[in-house]
Amino acid sequence: MQLRLVLALVCLPGVLGAQRVSFNKQIAPIIYQNCSSCHRPGEAAPFSLLSYQDVAKKAKLIAAVTASRQMPPWKAVPASFPYRDERRLTDSEIALLQEWVKAGMPEGSPADKTAPPEFKSGWRLGEPDLVVEMPAAYHIPADGADIYRNIAIPLGLTEDKWVTAIDMRLTARAVVHHVLYFADPVGKVHERQQEGTEPGFAGMRAGGASVPLGGWALGAQPHFFPEGLAMSVTKGSDLVIQYHFHPDGKAEAEKSLIGLYFAKEAPKRTLTAIQLPPVYSLFSGLDIPAGEKDFVIRDSYTLPAAVDAVGISAHAHYIGKVMQMTATLPSGETKTLLHITDWDFAWQDRYFFQDFVSLPKGTKLEAEIHWDNSAGNPRNPSSPPIPVAWGEQSKDEMGSLTLIAVPHEEADLNTVRRDYRKHTTDRARERIMKDPSMAAKVQALLAQ
Ligand code: HEC
């Protein structure tokens, strides 16, 4: 009896498992919730995952890329605080996918069938309050260097607005690496003379008195700011979009639609950004020898007032590898805000915390970025490796982590902003002392 019981227990999970896992019951909800938003017509992914047939056809590959966590793309490893809209399967979801493939991909009972999600207008956050379009298409050649292009669009606002989210619909997804949005409150950037035959003008500076409004990068999902937070866009403003195009072997034309979402009322607290190291490591000695396997830059900054951290993002180009920001609280406790162990240029996200993270005055923020410029890095664009320095081309490097926060007390906003600006100028000064040629470089950059 003993033996039989043991045998029965051993066999039970297998037998039950084979009957239990079906597409209709367990697999469809996992795929529809975590995959279909990208895997559908007109989106970035190469095939749709919207039906049993779609999923069954790719089942083995799906089992492999979910087990390795290559899909869904989400580069942040679990840190001290959960993020919103985490695109990360649980271990049991991954196990279910494995089990389903092993069981021969049963479709299951029609009674359990779930309808695939509907994505109506193509705008992932719903219909925007205002949609504007690029005045003319920008033509990206089949090959050549990366292109940075600023294109301004008058928004036609007759009153001041607060922007809670921006999304865009692209016509040439394959070559748009990322975009940054700015508001030009003077509303004159669109009058600036177009350079050459294409719309807009070149460079990394949006022109005018532009204020940053965030951005979009390949793979990133648009978000609403939480808790009524929003960015100010005054009446008469131009929206300036700075595109980073990366030619991809085929001539393309980009004519984006941009959707803006407005808050119903002015936010009570103002967002501010703390980027470490400042200016994507411009002043941090980013000079990576060819073949260097682990080049590290660190920066730290102590908060002059209490803030609530809202979100965090990271940026580097191809050979960035590991990035981390920690917060050591006055109590001595250290928390991890973001940790990416396998940076991928293609998947840049802004990570919003599920709840605001309270960081008291005196909290020490520490940022650390590692680059791998060896031949062993499959993402190295240069073979053999070449020396890499700070620069705007994607074969150059940049790197930093940016914390998006609101001061605990609105009255501290200027303290935080002034103190962080001082941190930036301190870093610049230190660098110019070490390397006087930096002074000219920085000036040239600012003059662009
Ligand atoms: C944020 C968008 C996004 C989400 C969400 C997403 N994918 Fe993908 N997927 C892509 C893109 C884009 C590619 C093309 C390859 C690349 O760029 O990595 C891709 C490629 C793939 C591939 C082919 C990989 C290869 O090596 O050929 C598979 C399989 C796949 N995805 C499965 C999934 C599954 C399963 C899910 C959900 C659990 C998922 N994806 C969620 C965007 C997404």
Side-chain angles (χ1 to χ4, degrees):
M1 184 244 127
Q2 283 287 351
L3 182 64
R4 240 190 243 160
L5 184 64
V6 170
L7 273 180
L9 285 176
V10 167
C11 295
L12 210 55
V15 171
L16 273 188
Q19 288 172 346
R20 209 183 51 214
V21 194
S22 76
F23 180 79
N24 287 345
K25 198 153 192 169
Q26 297 92 344
I27 302 303
I30 299 175
I31 299 287
Y32 295 164
Q33 271 168 39
N34 297 284
C35 319
S36 305
S37 65
C38 295
H39 285 270
R40 61 182 168 115
E43 284 300 323
F47 50 86
S48 291
L49 293 176
L50 290 168
S51 68
Y52 170 73
Q53 282 75 16
D54 288 347
V55 180
K57 231 182 335 190
K58 298 277 178 190
K60 289 219 168 74
L61 197 54
I62 289 173
V65 299
T66 50
S68 66
R69 292 197 180 277
Q70 184 192 326
M71 287 286 147
W74 182 260
K75 299 316 283 182
V77 298
S80 302
F81 308 97
Y83 304 108
R84 272 172 56 184
D85 305 337
E86 212 156 31
R87 280 201 309 262
R88 215 181 139 79
L89 298 182
T90 62
D91 290 341
S92 59
E93 286 169 331
I94 292 173
L96 272 172
L97 285 162
Q98 302 289 324
E99 211 176 308
W100 178 65
V101 173
K102 258 189 227 136
M105 298 156 309
E107 186 169 1
S109 151
D112 292 331
K113 200 164 170 166
T114 340
E118 278 182 45
F119 302 94
K120 283 199 188 85
S121 69
W123 293 103
R124 287 166 291 183
L125 297 176
E127 210 49 55
D129 296 305
L130 175 66
V131 177
V132 292
E133 187 173 15
M134 262 168 74
Y138 187 90
H139 295 86
I140 301 102
D143 38 41
D146 289 19
I147 301 163
Y148 288 88
R149 194 79 179 178
N150 299 282
I151 297 172
I153 307 174
L155 286 174
L157 293 179
T158 52
E159 54 180 8
D160 296 350
K161 291 285 186 192
W162 292 93
V163 172
T164 59
I166 305 179
D167 193 10
M168 70 187 335
R169 304 290 299 164
L170 301 168
T171 57
R173 266 187 180 280
V175 296
V176 182
H177 171 267
H178 72 257
V179 306
L180 296 175
Y181 307 115
F182 298 87
D184 162 37
V186 185
K188 292 270 186 226
V189 177
H190 74 276
E191 292 173 9
R192 188 167 156 173
Q193 204 180 357
Q194 147 176 348
E195 289 173 0
T197 54
E198 295 292 330
F201 54 94
M204 295 275 288
R205 302 268 299 166
S210 302
V211 288
L213 293 178
W216 175 89
L218 190 64
Q221 301 291 309
H223 284 277
F224 287 110
F225 273 114
E227 312 223 355
L229 295 177
M231 298 167 292
S232 158
V233 177
T234 51
K235 72 174 174 199
S237 288
D238 279 358
L239 176 70
V240 188
I241 309 162
Q242 185 178 99
Y243 288 88
H244 176 182
F245 296 118
H246 184 65
D248 196 30
K250 183 169 157 260
E252 297 268 13
E254 177 55 37
K255 192 162 191 281
S256 337
L257 286 177
I258 300 96
L260 291 97
Y261 299 82
F262 300 132
K264 301 277 171 290
E265 54 192 50
K268 299 194 174 47
R269 301 163 78 189
T270 308
L271 290 155
T272 192
I274 296 168
Q275 190 188 55
L276 299 179
V279 201
Y280 301 104
S281 291
L282 174 60
F283 312 121
S284 305
L286 181 51
D287 282 301
I288 316 175
E292 171 67 57
K293 207 169 160 33
D294 189 25
F295 183 87
V296 192
I297 284 180
R298 294 186 176 86
D299 192 17
S300 71
Y301 174 70
T302 301
L303 290 173
V307 305
D308 285 329
V310 176
I312 187 164
S313 61
H315 182 71
H317 292 173
Y318 291 117
I319 62 169
K321 194 84 191 163
V322 175
M323 34 250 283
Q324 174 163 273
M325 190 188 276
T326 58
T328 301
L329 310 181
S331 66
E333 205 182 346
T334 297
K335 300 283 192 188
T336 302
L337 299 173
L338 181 66
H339 190 193
I340 291 173
T341 52
D342 179 29
W343 169 255
D344 184 343
F345 188 60
W347 297 115
Q348 310 194 23
D349 257 296
R350 253 190 192 184
Y351 302 93
F352 285 95
F353 299 112
Q354 219 163 65
D355 301 304
F356 286 175
V357 175
S358 173
L359 302 173
K361 175 178 176 171
T363 296
K364 187 179 182 191
L365 299 173
E366 287 176 284
E368 185 175 308
I369 303 162
H370 297 246
W371 285 266
D372 177 355
N373 192 17
S374 70
N377 181 356
R379 297 199 179 107
N380 198 331
S382 303
S383 172
I386 53 167
V388 173
W390 193 95
E392 296 166 2
Q393 301 286 309
S394 52
K395 277 189 180 182
D396 303 325
E397 275 299 327
M398 292 189 185
S400 64
L401 293 114
T402 304
L403 191 71
I404 307 157
V406 284
H408 219 84
E409 303 295 333
E410 184 68 8
D412 285 332
L413 180 68
N414 282 333
T415 309
V416 176
R417 287 192 169 164
R418 217 177 306 119
D419 192 71
Y420 173 72
R421 216 172 299 131
K422 182 175 176 305
H423 177 75
T424 305
T425 48
D426 284 352
R427 288 287 175 269
R429 201 169 300 124
E430 286 161 19
R431 195 67 211 150
I432 290 167
M433 301 255 275
K434 272 195 206 145
D435 175 4
S437 77
M438 276 301 287
K441 238 196 235 174
V442 171
Q443 233 142 42
L445 202 79
L446 295 178
Q448 260 183 21

